[in-house]
């Protein structure tokens, strides 16, 4: 009266194989779950009992022990309901124990026996496949998410009775074919950069940042167009590869932000949290650690509007993730690491009133107030942002379109971004990176080689503006992207000069 069923458990975005061992013995009727189950798993025994009875099966009046192995790791999630129910049924002899050895089970039970969707199916399926289990039973509403994984047989179910019928040969469940959910369609954006009048120099900087995934800080008075420009960035971001889509989708699956209608994240994320956000919501955490906004923006954009209004301690949390492209959260239950390779886009006023340095408005802030406002943004954080750009408000003629110059559209900008993206994919195909912003110090020396004029220019800027070593490398990577946009194999002095001019805040020190 013993059975063994397989399932998985999430640790961050990785999955570990769990064996659900069930033993039925003589004694007072009871159901005990051991193996470090959390409250959600301990509550499963009541859902399992009701689901079995309401599905037409007898719940055994025996002493039932369910062990979740390995016992040293914490078990969390409602997906343990189904494997526990199958373990009890197998121990009773309702289902042959030997027929279940090739399967893994995921699913939450309703009291009437229906199988509800669960979170984290994509990383769970990937983890089960890596552990040698290729046949996976999961809720019907999770099937499109699970089908993103190649090389597995998925069996979608709606209720417990149909699953029992499958294993007792009464009615077989057809496996779901892989690849049926991999078609991707480009989003038709309503906004376009052609709506932005003037600001062509800013659009050039946006193109460079999107092409190389460089961070950007926009500084300017109210109404200059900072937010309008930033919110149109998704219209020019390069398309994600299928591997990138899976990586981002895993994060959204763990965070519970996928649905039956949206099983795959196909567009680069654009996350724009409000400045009142807490540190835990930005970085991630909780008793059961989940990805925060910085991880949900992985391989996409994290937009922080009104940067100086954020709590300073909250902003300082960004320093390590921006440097390491990942964030590690330590809890009593273990250490969890989430990826956070983001393109940070920030917008800020130059002072409290917003008009410091504006030629058309008088600033009413004292120097002390200006210094206090700017002190909210620490030097180490600003040093990690590749491009610092001051925005000047457009004139009336530019706004009304009286001037003859055409406004560059998102489509034109995206073509430039895609050309540079293709160059980078070809160049770094054996290096394990995708964008110029990801270049390590060793790769900078290899791919950002300068001629004598370029070295002299960088040295002059380094000494004059007292640049840090980090800022020096960011200028080189930025120049590499500018050269790619201009389709030049080697970095020229003109590319370096443009990259240096984008470090406005360094020039003020």
């Amino acid at each position: 009266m013993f059975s063994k069923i397989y399932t998985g458990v999430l640790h961050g975005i990785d999955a570990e194989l769990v064996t659900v061992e069930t033993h039925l013995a003589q004694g007072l009727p009871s159901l005990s779950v051991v193996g470090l189950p959390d409250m959600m798993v301990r509550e499963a025994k009541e859902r399992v009992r009701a689901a079995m009875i309401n599905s037409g099966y007898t719940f055994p009046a025996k002493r039932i022990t369910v062990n979740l192995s390995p016992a040293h790791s914490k078990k969390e999630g409602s997906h343990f309901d189904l494997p526990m129910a199958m373990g009890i049924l197998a121990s009773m002899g309702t289902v042959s124990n030997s027929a279940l050895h090739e399967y893994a089970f995921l699913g939450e039970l309703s009291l009437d026996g229906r199988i509800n969707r669960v979170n984290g199916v994509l990383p769970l399926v990937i983890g089960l496949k890596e552990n040698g289990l290729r046949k996976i039973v999961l809720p019907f509403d999770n099937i499109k998410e699970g089908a993103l994984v190649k090389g597995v047989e998925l069996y979608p179910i709606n209720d417990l009775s149909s699953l029992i019928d499958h294993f007792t040969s009464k009615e077989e469940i057809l496996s779901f074919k892989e690849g049926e959910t991999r078609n991707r369609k480009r989003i038709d954006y309503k906004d376009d950069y052609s709506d932005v009048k003037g600001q062509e120099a800013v659009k050039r900087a946006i193109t460079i940042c999107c092409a190389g995934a460089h961070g950007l800080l926009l500084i300017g008075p109210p109404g200059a167009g900072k937010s309008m420009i930033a919110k149109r960035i998704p219209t020019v971001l390069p398309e994600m590869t299928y591997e990138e889509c899976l990586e981002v989708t895993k994060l959204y699956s763990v965070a519970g932000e996928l649905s039956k209608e949206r099983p795959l994240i196909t567009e680069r994320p654009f996350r724009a949290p409000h400045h009142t956000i807490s540190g835990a919501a930005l970085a991630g955490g909780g008793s059961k650690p989940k990805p925060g906004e910085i991880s949900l923006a992985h391989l996409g954009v994290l937009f922080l509007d009104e940067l100086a209004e954020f709590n300073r301690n909250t902003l300082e949390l960004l320093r390590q993730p921006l440097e390491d492209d990942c964030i590690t959260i330590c809890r009593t239950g273990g250490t969890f690491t989430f990826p956070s390779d983001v393109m940070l886009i920030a917008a800020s006023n130059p002072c409290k009133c917003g008009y410091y340095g504006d030629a058309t408005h008088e600033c009413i802030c004292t120097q002390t107030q200006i210094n206090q406002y700017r002190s909210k943004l620490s030097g180490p954080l600003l040093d990690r942002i590749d491009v610092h750009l001051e925005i000047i408000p457009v004139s009336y003629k530019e706004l009304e379109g009286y001037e003859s110059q055409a406004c560059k559209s998102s489509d034109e900008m995206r073509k430039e971004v895609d050309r540079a993206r293709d160059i980078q994919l070809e160049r770094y195909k054996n290096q394990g990176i995708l964008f110029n912003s990801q270049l390590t110090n060793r790769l900078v020396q290899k791919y950002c080689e300068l001629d004598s004029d370029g070295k002299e220019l960088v040295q002059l800027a380094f000494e004059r503006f007292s640049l840090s070593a980090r800022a020096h490398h960011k200028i080189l990577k930025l120049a590499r992207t500018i050269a790619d946009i201009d389709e030049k194999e080697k970095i020229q002095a003109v590319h370096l000069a443009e990259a240096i001019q984008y470090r406005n805040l360094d020039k003020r020190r």
Side-chain angles (χ1 to χ4, degrees):
M1 311 222 11
F2 172 81
S3 68
K4 186 183 292 186
I5 304 292
Y6 296 109
T7 185
V9 66
L10 287 175
H11 291 290
I13 59 171
D14 299 315
E16 177 184 4
L17 181 67
V18 173
T19 303
V20 181
E21 300 174 327
T22 306
H23 175 66
L24 271 61
Q26 298 296 331
L28 291 175
S30 64
L31 173 55
S32 302
V33 182
V34 297
L36 285 183
D38 73 342
M39 181 59 70
M40 190 182 301
V41 180
R42 289 198 295 270
E43 290 176 346
K45 57 187 180 183
E46 302 302 331
R47 294 192 293 270
V48 169
R49 186 194 311 272
M52 288 178 60
I53 294 173
N54 290 323
S55 297
Y57 301 97
T58 302
F59 192 82
K62 295 181 179 293
R63 183 181 179 86
I64 306 171
T65 303
V66 177
N67 177 43
L68 307 178
S69 176
H72 62 81
S73 62
K74 192 170 183 178
K75 313 304 186 304
E76 300 173 323
S78 60
H79 64 276
F80 283 97
D81 292 11
L82 184 59
M84 287 172 61
M86 293 304 295
I88 294 173
L89 289 165
S91 297
M92 293 169 55
T94 304
V95 180
S96 172
N97 198 11
S98 60
L100 307 179
H101 286 169
E102 296 180 348
Y103 292 81
F105 297 85
L106 307 169
E108 175 188 317
L109 286 170
S110 292
L111 299 186
D112 60 359
R114 288 182 294 107
I115 311 295
N116 298 329
R117 67 174 287 113
V118 294
N119 296 331
V121 161
L122 179 58
L124 283 169
V125 171
I126 293 174
L128 291 170
K129 175 191 171 185
E130 291 173 348
N131 281 280
L133 289 164
R134 303 301 178 99
K135 296 182 178 181
I136 301 171
V137 177
L138 74 172
F140 190 86
D141 286 347
N142 284 115
I143 190 62
K144 290 186 177 181
E145 181 183 343
L148 300 173
V149 184
K150 299 178 182 178
V152 292
E153 292 182 42
L154 302 178
Y155 295 84
I157 55 169
N158 283 315
D159 54 70
L160 185 60
S161 297
S162 61
L163 181 59
I164 303 305
D165 290 344
H166 172 77
F167 285 108
T168 55
S169 301
K170 292 181 179 179
E171 186 176 351
E172 184 178 359
I173 300 174
L174 297 178
S175 62
F176 196 81
K177 294 180 180 179
E178 66 177 42
E180 291 186 9
T181 65
R182 295 197 185 121
N183 296 326
R184 292 185 280 166
K185 293 182 179 180
R186 173 129 183 100
I187 296 177
D188 184 18
Y189 293 101
K190 296 180 180 179
D191 297 325
D192 194 278
Y193 272 110
S194 60
D195 302 330
V196 181
K197 307 300 181 182
Q199 307 292 15
E200 295 304 306
V202 180
K203 293 181 186 179
R204 164 74 173 177
I206 293 290
T207 302
I208 294 168
C209 290
C210 291
H214 300 288
L216 171 65
L217 172 60
L218 299 172
I219 304 174
K226 302 184 296 295
S227 300
M228 181 182 184
I229 290 169
K231 290 177 181 178
R232 281 163 173 74
I233 284 179
T235 65
V236 298
L237 289 173
E239 185 177 354
M240 286 201 292
T241 63
Y242 183 70
E243 289 71 23
E244 287 179 299
C245 290
L246 277 185
E247 192 172 348
V248 175
T249 303
K250 282 175 65 176
L251 287 163
Y252 278 70
S253 179
V254 171
E257 295 203 14
L258 296 181
S259 64
K260 182 180 179 181
E261 294 74 26
R262 191 196 186 198
L264 176 67
I265 304 299
T266 58
E267 295 291 325
R268 295 190 182 276
F270 184 88
R271 308 290 295 194
H274 192 261
H275 64 260
T276 57
I277 189 173
S278 66
L282 182 64
S287 57
K288 179 185 177 183
K290 288 188 176 183
E293 287 294 324
I294 190 170
S295 293
L296 294 175
H298 180 56
L299 298 178
V301 173
L302 177 65
F303 176 45
L304 303 182
D305 201 4
E306 302 296 344
L307 185 65
E309 298 300 326
F310 281 77
N311 181 282
R312 176 169 178 145
N313 292 334
T314 300
L315 289 180
E316 293 305 299
L317 293 172
L318 295 173
R319 287 163 58 173
Q320 178 265 331
L322 290 176
E323 189 72 16
D324 299 337
D325 295 334
C326 65
I327 186 165
T328 301
I329 301 170
C330 297
R331 293 290 185 271
T332 55
T335 300
F336 304 84
T337 299
F338 299 108
S340 59
D341 188 0
V342 303
M343 176 179 164
L344 176 63
I345 304 296
S348 177
N349 294 326
C351 66
K352 190 172 183 179
C353 77
Y355 295 108
Y356 179 75
D358 189 352
T360 59
H361 292 82
E362 181 181 357
C363 175
I364 61 174
C365 300
T366 65
Q367 190 60 48
T368 300
Q369 288 175 321
I370 294 173
N371 293 338
Q372 288 177 344
Y373 191 81
R374 290 185 173 180
S375 68
K376 295 181 179 180
L377 308 178
S378 68
L381 176 61
L382 294 176
D383 202 41
R384 286 166 166 80
I385 301 177
D386 304 63
V387 176
H388 311 148
L389 195 63
E390 292 181 312
I391 295 185
I392 301 174
V394 296
S395 65
Y396 180 75
K397 288 185 177 181
E398 289 175 317
L399 187 62
E400 291 300 318
Y402 291 159
E403 296 189 352
S404 59
Q405 69 177 45
C407 294
K408 183 175 284 189
S409 67
S410 294
D411 186 56
E412 293 173 299
M413 294 168 66
R414 184 176 178 118
K415 287 178 181 177
E416 295 182 26
V417 170
D418 287 341
R419 284 199 303 268
R421 161 78 158 165
D422 292 339
I423 291 172
Q424 292 170 80
L425 287 176
E426 179 62 27
R427 181 190 297 132
Y428 305 132
K429 60 183 178 182
N430 297 320
Q431 299 294 343
I433 62 174
L434 301 170
F435 294 100
N436 289 326
S437 63
Q438 299 172 327
L439 287 169
T440 62
N441 293 345
R442 179 180 59 83
L443 293 178
V444 165
Q445 295 177 358
K446 181 178 180 180
Y447 294 110
C448 301
E449 189 176 354
L450 305 178
D451 57 20
S452 57
D453 291 340
K455 290 179 181 178
E456 184 178 349
L457 179 60
V458 172
Q459 181 182 358
L460 179 63
F462 188 87
E463 294 173 350
R464 182 173 180 180
F465 304 130
S466 301
L467 299 176
S468 66
R470 181 187 290 112
H472 168 256
H473 280 83
K474 286 190 177 296
I475 287 174
L476 294 181
K477 290 186 276 190
L478 199 59
R480 178 67 271 171
T481 301
I482 297 171
D484 290 341
I485 289 177
D486 292 346
E487 300 184 71
K488 302 294 183 182
E489 183 178 350
K490 294 185 177 180
I491 298 175
Q492 301 174 358
V494 65
H495 304 138
L496 286 166
E498 184 175 357
I500 291 169
Q501 78 169 0
Y502 289 135
R503 300 288 300 186
N504 283 350
L505 296 185
D506 290 327
K507 301 174 187 178
R508 294 181 177 181
R509 295 177 185 174

